Amino acid sequence: MLTPSSSGSNAKKEELCDCQLPIRICTSKTKDNPNKKFKVCPNSLKLGKKCKYWEQIDEAVTGNPDLEQELEAVKEDVACLKKKFQELKNKAHNYKVEISCNII
């Protein structure tokens, strides 16, 4: 998620996680994904606080326009699905609140 920083209209956009904190870029040290870059919430690195924001940083796809277009389409689909998921999550929460109010 991108949001403008507070320093003005010409300011560089800062990427925020689901907690609205600036994301961190880390490098994998695993055997399966050595040196792969990914984005995480700073809270994901703390004990007790766990944000589920995680995103792999794709290496540039160059030289193949079909792959570039397909990658962009997949990114748009993922963004749309994330938005829909959040809407459903909010709706489920509202139903949960409504049900608990009706029980009392």
Side-chain angles (χ1 to χ4, degrees):
M1 165 183 324
L2 294 176
T3 57
S5 66
S6 59
S7 55
S9 61
N10 292 334
K12 184 175 139 183
K13 291 185 179 183
E14 185 173 61
E15 221 174 327
L16 303 178
C17 73
D18 299 335
C19 298
Q20 300 303 303
L21 295 173
I23 59 114
R24 283 188 170 172
I25 296 178
C26 298
T27 303
S28 171
K29 295 184 181 16
T30 66
K31 182 180 176 182
D32 293 335
N33 295 300
N35 301 316
K36 297 279 184 174
K37 302 271 187 213
F38 60 96
K39 301 174 188 178
V40 295
C41 168
N43 279 339
S44 69
L45 306 173
K46 296 179 184 176
L47 291 176
K49 292 186 174 186
K50 293 293 178 190
C51 175
K52 294 183 178 168
Y53 179 85
W54 181 91
E55 182 181 350
Q56 181 175 334
I57 299 174
D58 295 320
E59 295 180 24
V61 178
T62 57
N64 189 333
D66 292 335
L67 281 179
E68 290 175 8
Q69 287 179 334
E70 190 173 331
L71 178 59
E72 286 307 311
V74 168
K75 286 180 179 181
E76 289 175 18
D77 288 346
V78 168
C80 191
L81 289 169
K82 282 182 178 181
K83 183 179 177 183
K84 184 67 174 173
F85 174 75
Q86 189 61 46
E87 290 170 1
L88 291 171
K89 190 174 170 182
N90 292 341
K91 198 173 191 179
H93 174 73
N94 291 339
Y95 284 136
K96 187 176 180 181
V97 169
E98 187 176 315
I99 290 169
S100 66
C101 289
N102 290 335
I103 293 173
I104 296 175

